Amino acid sequence: KNDIGTFEKLRPFKKNLFEFLDQQMHQEQELNQEEHHEREESSQRLPLLRFPFPSSTTTHIRPLIYLNRPDAYALLIDSIPSGEIATMSQYSSDFFLISSGLDAQVNQFYCGVASAVAVLNSLRFLKSTGILNDGVDFPVDPKYAPHEYATQIDIFNNCTKTTVISNTDGGFGVDGIISPPFGLSMPQVAGVLRCHLNASTTSGIGWDVQAQYVDTSHITVGKMRFDLKNALSNPNSRVLVNYDRGKLGQDGGGHWSPIGSYSEKQDAFLILDVAKYKYPPVWAPAERLYDSLATYDLCGVWNFPNGQDELSEEERNVTFPNNFDWTTVMDKLGCEKELRGYIIVTRT
C-alpha cells in the first residue's frame, strides 16, 4: 500500500520531468539549427582552431549547476534526436558506478580518503568479467564480510602506513590526517590508491595511477578537458580532483572529490562531492574547474609518512592554524607549496 501511495505521489513529478525533457529536446533542435548556420557563416571568415589551443577568453562567468533539479539530471543524458529514445551519455557511467560506493567523508579532513574509497568501490564491478586476479586489493570490513567494500577505516594497511601516513588511529593530535598539515596531499592520495591497485599481476592486468599537477604554463583548459573526457569515456578509468572550493565559487578551501560525468552541452564536469552534508554533486564549467585546480596547496609536499614525529604534543593538537605559530609547524614538517590537480586511475 505504501509503495502504491508513493508511486501516485511521484506520478506528477515524472510527468513534469518528461514534459521538461521534451521541451529541452525541441529547444536543443532549434539551438542546433541556429548554431549550425552561425558556424557556417563564421567558418567563412575565421580559421578553425583545435586543441591544444585554448578557447577565447570571456568575462562571462558561467554558473555552477547543482544536481538537485530535473534539468541538472537531464545533463547525464545525451541530446535526444526527434523520435528517438534517450540514452545515457558515454561520459556518465562513472556517475552510477562511483555513486554506488560513495560515502560521506567521516570528518572534515577525510575528503581525500573518502574519494579514494569511492573510486576503489566503483572497481568492484570489473570482477564480473570473470578475471580472478584483477589487480585490485579490496579490504573486507568485518561488518560486510565476506563482501568486498572499502571503508574509510579499513582502507589503511601496512602499505599506507609506510608510504602515506604512519598513524590513522585516534582523534586530533593522534590521527595524522586530522593533525597538521591536515588532510592528504596529491602524492598521498595517489599513494593510497597505489597501495590497493597493483601495477602488474600474474594475469597481465595492471593499474596506472597518474597525478597531473595543473601548471598553467603548460597545462591548458583544453588539455585538462581532453584528459578528463578520455578517462570518463573509458570504463576502466576513474578521475579524482584536488581543487580549491573558494576558487570554484563555494565555501571552503582545498578539497578532494571524484568526477562522475561530463556534459558536452554545458561543457561542464560533474563533481561528486564527498562532503555530502555540505554540497550536493555539482556541474562545474570546465574553465571554472580548471581555475580551481590551478591553485596551490601550501603544504602539498612534506616529510610524510613520519614527519609529524617532529612536532610537539601542543603542535600536533592544534585544531586550527589561526593564532598559532603555524610557520614553525610547517618548517618542522618540511612543508613546500605545490600545485593541485587531478589523478587518473587506469587499468592497463
Side-chain angles (χ1 to χ4, degrees):
K1 181 178 180 181
N2 290 338
D3 290 341
I4 294 173
T6 301
F7 177 80
E8 292 301 323
K9 291 178 182 178
L10 289 176
R11 188 187 299 276
F13 172 78
K14 289 184 175 181
K15 180 180 178 182
N16 292 337
L17 176 59
F18 288 131
E19 289 177 351
F20 171 80
L21 292 175
D22 186 61
Q23 293 174 0
Q24 288 290 101
M25 176 186 72
H26 292 297
Q27 290 176 3
E28 286 183 14
Q29 289 175 340
E30 293 175 358
L31 288 172
N32 288 338
Q33 291 177 354
E34 293 177 2
E35 291 175 358
H36 176 71
H37 293 308
E38 290 176 358
R39 284 197 298 268
E40 285 186 337
E41 293 176 0
S42 63
S43 64
Q44 298 174 5
R45 300 191 303 268
L46 297 172
L48 183 64
L49 299 180
R50 297 187 182 276
F51 174 82
F53 298 98
S55 59
S56 58
T57 57
T58 176
T59 56
H60 173 65
I61 300 177
R62 297 194 293 141
L64 301 174
I65 303 174
Y66 287 95
L67 199 67
N68 56 7
R69 59 182 200 259
D71 59 321
Y73 277 97
L75 296 177
L76 292 166
I77 302 172
D78 278 329
S79 298
I80 311 170
S82 178
E84 294 189 15
I85 299 175
T87 58
M88 200 58 57
S89 165
Q90 63 173 318
Y91 304 114
S92 294
S93 63
D94 283 6
F95 168 75
F96 300 97
L97 295 172
I98 293 175
S99 295
S100 69
L102 188 149
D103 299 320
Q105 59 188 87
V106 295
N107 58 56
Q108 298 194 55
F109 301 100
Y110 263 50
C111 55
V113 179
S115 298
V117 166
V119 165
L120 284 178
N121 283 332
S122 75
L123 302 177
R124 292 172 295 153
F125 306 101
L126 295 180
K127 283 187 176 294
S128 62
T129 57
I131 300 173
L132 296 178
N133 188 357
D134 61 359
V136 183
D137 292 330
F138 280 104
V140 178
D141 191 292
K143 297 189 296 293
Y144 306 132
H147 308 291
E148 297 175 334
Y149 190 86
T151 71
Q152 295 167 58
I153 296 174
D154 62 21
I155 193 173
F156 299 108
N157 55 21
N158 288 333
C159 175
T160 60
K161 184 174 183 177
T162 58
T163 63
V164 178
I165 197 78
S166 59
N167 197 348
T168 54
D169 297 320
F172 285 103
V174 181
D175 185 332
I177 301 175
I178 54 178
S179 303
F182 300 108
L184 294 178
S185 62
M186 285 272 288
Q188 285 179 293
V189 170
V192 170
L193 291 167
R194 291 189 182 109
C195 282
H196 293 275
L197 299 172
N198 300 317
S200 61
T201 66
T202 55
S203 64
I205 294 175
W207 291 90
D208 183 40
V209 179
Q210 287 291 331
Q212 178 63 71
Y213 298 91
V214 177
D215 183 343
T216 57
S217 67
H218 65 277
I219 300 294
T220 65
V221 65
K223 164 65 174 170
M224 179 209 72
R225 183 190 295 111
F226 179 83
D227 287 348
L228 270 56
K229 285 178 65 176
N230 274 356
L232 289 167
S233 63
N234 181 354
N236 297 318
S237 289
R238 302 289 186 271
V239 182
L240 307 82
V241 289
N242 181 209
Y243 59 103
D244 186 321
R245 279 197 187 277
K247 195 68 174 178
L248 187 68
Q250 298 180 325
D251 291 332
H255 190 55
W256 280 97
S257 284
I259 295 291
S261 184
Y262 171 74
S263 166
E264 289 194 316
K265 176 183 177 182
Q266 292 289 336
D267 185 25
F269 291 93
L270 182 61
I271 301 174
L272 302 180
D273 203 324
V274 294
K276 300 169 77 170
Y277 50 83
K278 187 173 183 179
Y279 286 108
V282 62
W283 292 100
E287 70 279 4
R288 292 185 67 170
L289 176 60
Y290 173 80
D291 288 342
S292 71
L293 298 177
T295 55
Y296 280 94
D297 179 346
L298 295 181
C299 197
V301 175
W302 61 284
N303 300 328
F304 64 84
N306 300 312
Q308 292 160 322
D309 294 343
E310 301 299 319
L311 302 180
S312 67
E313 183 177 354
E314 180 186 14
E315 291 167 337
R316 286 183 64 91
N317 281 279
V318 61
T319 57
F320 200 73
N322 288 350
N323 302 319
F324 190 83
D325 188 4
W326 192 242
T327 302
T328 300
V329 173
M330 293 182 70
D331 287 344
K332 286 186 176 181
L333 292 171
C335 285
E336 295 180 15
K337 73 174 185 178
E338 181 56 274
L339 287 161
R340 297 186 174 93
Y342 51 92
I343 293 176
I344 296 179
V345 172
T346 307
R347 187 168 74 170
T348 59

